[in-house]
Amino acid sequence: RKEVEQDPGPFNVPEGATVAFNCTYSNSASQSFFWYRQDCRKEPKLLMSVYSSGNEDGRFTAQLNRASQYISLLIRDSKLSDSATYLCVVNPPWGSYIPTFGRGTSLIVHP
Amino acid sequence: DAGVTQSPTHLIKTRGQQVTLRCSPKSGHDTVSWYQQALGQGPQFIFQYYEEEERQRGNFPDRFSGHQFPNYSSELNVNALLLGDSALYLCASSLAYSGGYEQYFGPGTRLTVT
């Protein structure tokens, strides 16, 4: 099993739709989790942190499920500008500094 | 507030050559990590520098080396280039005090090895 797995997609959705991505991880001792957004041929940009209690930022909601070892990202009311690749990042237990990125999930929002 | 900067933006090298990539961290950050991103893949961790020392290293050969300077800027050196080294090389900076996990990326250097 890969350390961090994401469905590469693409997820093709109309404007206004709600879409959700999951990211599973194998190390149950992982300490922190993030979602990044990466536009084509650009650098990843930090989207949001993921907490057990959930984290909401406008149309975006991130959740962590430690029991099932996955994190999720929900995007409501999708905009054309949301089209990008969404990368999840899983960070190891304290004392190690090697984060593991998923390969990303591609989202295409169409008119 | 200056973000992370990298130079050069693009580079073309021949197999066997050596290359040096440069990174300046976001203002106030003291930790620099380097990543390699192949097309269609997520970034792969190469190593991280803090207090001018390599703090952690990913699964990359010794041909990949780095350095951090007193002003926190960093260099990535790759020797004996292989075709498979062609990729986007990303530098990310963070603040050790906050755990170092919230990272901000530079625009990357796109390296092509022919």
Side-chain angles (χ1 to χ4, degrees):
Chain A
R1 181 182 176 186
K2 285 187 180 178
E3 287 186 65
V4 177
E5 291 197 70
Q6 290 185 257
D7 180 348
F11 284 61
N12 211 316
V13 304
E15 269 187 295
T18 294
V19 62
F21 314 131
N22 283 342
C23 168
T24 59
Y25 61 95
S26 60
N27 187 346
S28 60
S30 298
Q31 283 293 335
S32 63
F33 310 84
F34 296 90
W35 283 102
Y36 281 76
R37 171 201 168 120
Q38 186 171 28
D39 293 292
C40 188
R41 301 182 74 83
K42 298 284 190 180
E43 74 272 23
K45 292 189 176 174
L46 181 62
L47 186 62
M48 57 200 307
S49 307
V50 189
Y51 308 118
S52 296
S53 56
N55 188 16
E56 186 172 319
D57 183 5
R59 298 181 293 109
F60 297 80
T61 300
Q63 291 274 1
L64 165 63
N65 186 316
R66 283 199 180 271
S68 300
Q69 294 181 210
Y70 73 88
I71 63 173
S72 63
L73 179 67
L74 179 78
I75 305 175
R76 290 180 297 277
D77 188 23
S78 298
K79 311 291 185 191
L80 295 177
S81 57
D82 293 335
S83 298
T85 296
Y86 291 84
L87 300 160
C88 68
V89 183
V90 176
N91 288 304
W94 302 118
S96 172
Y97 302 96
I98 303 182
T100 302
F101 279 74
R103 64 174 293 185
T105 296
S106 175
L107 171 65
I108 300 171
V109 182
H110 58 83
Chain B
D1 180 18
V4 181
T5 60
Q6 290 186 245
S7 63
T9 54
H10 294 84
L11 207 50
I12 299 175
K13 290 286 190 177
T14 305
R15 268 181 304 176
Q17 286 188 315
Q18 178 263 345
V19 68
T20 297
L21 311 182
R22 296 176 177 84
C23 170
S24 289
K26 180 178 166 67
S27 177
H29 283 183
D30 56 8
T31 302
V32 173
S33 301
W34 286 93
Y35 293 84
Q36 179 193 69
Q37 187 176 25
L39 205 59
Q41 301 298 318
Q44 298 294 309
F45 180 86
I46 302 175
F47 41 54
Q48 184 182 84
Y49 277 85
Y50 172 65
E51 292 189 334
E52 302 179 48
E53 289 192 0
E54 184 183 288
R55 184 157 73 167
Q56 197 89 52
R57 187 178 186 93
N59 189 24
F60 279 80
D62 291 345
R63 297 187 298 110
F64 290 77
S65 63
H67 189 78
Q68 186 179 35
F69 299 94
N71 66 354
Y72 308 117
S73 67
S74 177
E75 287 182 350
L76 164 66
N77 300 292
V78 187
N79 294 323
L81 284 167
L82 304 174
L83 295 179
D85 295 332
S86 295
L88 179 67
Y89 287 84
L90 294 160
C91 165
S93 74
S94 55
L95 191 57
Y97 178 76
S98 66
Y101 293 122
E102 193 169 293
Q103 299 185 80
Y104 294 83
F105 284 85
T109 294
R110 193 163 297 279
L111 174 65
T112 302
V113 183
T114 62

